[in-house]
Amino acid sequence: YGDHRDLHLSIRRQRQMCIRDSLWTWLAKDYLAGDNLDGAERALERALVYDRESVEAKNLLNTTRERRQNLTK
């Protein structure tokens, strides 16, 4: 029984992390659509706390930082 339940707990934790990551990424996209770069950057950093390997969050964070740099030029 122990192994079977451990597997389900592990899968559930992984699914919850993916949901949290996608929610933070979705929020960041919403901020970007409104040109709220600070909010987008905070949301994406939070997404990467939950999933350091999220390619989408990393790409969006790079885009956000590039947009910020272009505004300061």
Side-chain angles (χ1 to χ4, degrees):
Y1 287 111
D3 292 339
H4 183 257
R5 281 183 264 167
D6 289 345
L7 176 61
H8 284 291
L9 288 174
S10 175
I11 292 169
R12 186 177 315 138
R13 269 194 305 271
Q14 184 177 10
R15 188 177 76 235
Q16 288 169 341
M17 288 173 59
C18 288
I19 290 168
R20 279 191 295 252
D21 173 41
S22 64
L23 288 174
W24 285 111
T25 303
W26 175 83
L27 180 61
K29 288 178 183 177
D30 194 49
Y31 281 137
L32 284 173
D35 287 329
N36 182 342
L37 300 180
D38 291 333
E41 192 168 356
R42 284 192 305 272
L44 291 164
E45 287 170 348
R46 193 69 172 160
L48 289 169
V49 165
Y50 292 111
D51 182 6
R52 293 179 189 186
E53 301 304 316
S54 172
V55 173
E56 183 179 23
K58 286 178 183 179
N59 289 340
L60 284 171
L61 186 56
N62 288 336
T63 299
T64 302
R65 290 179 174 160
E66 286 173 7
R67 283 175 67 178
R68 183 186 309 282
Q69 285 178 343
N70 290 336
L71 289 175
T72 59
K73 288 183 179 179

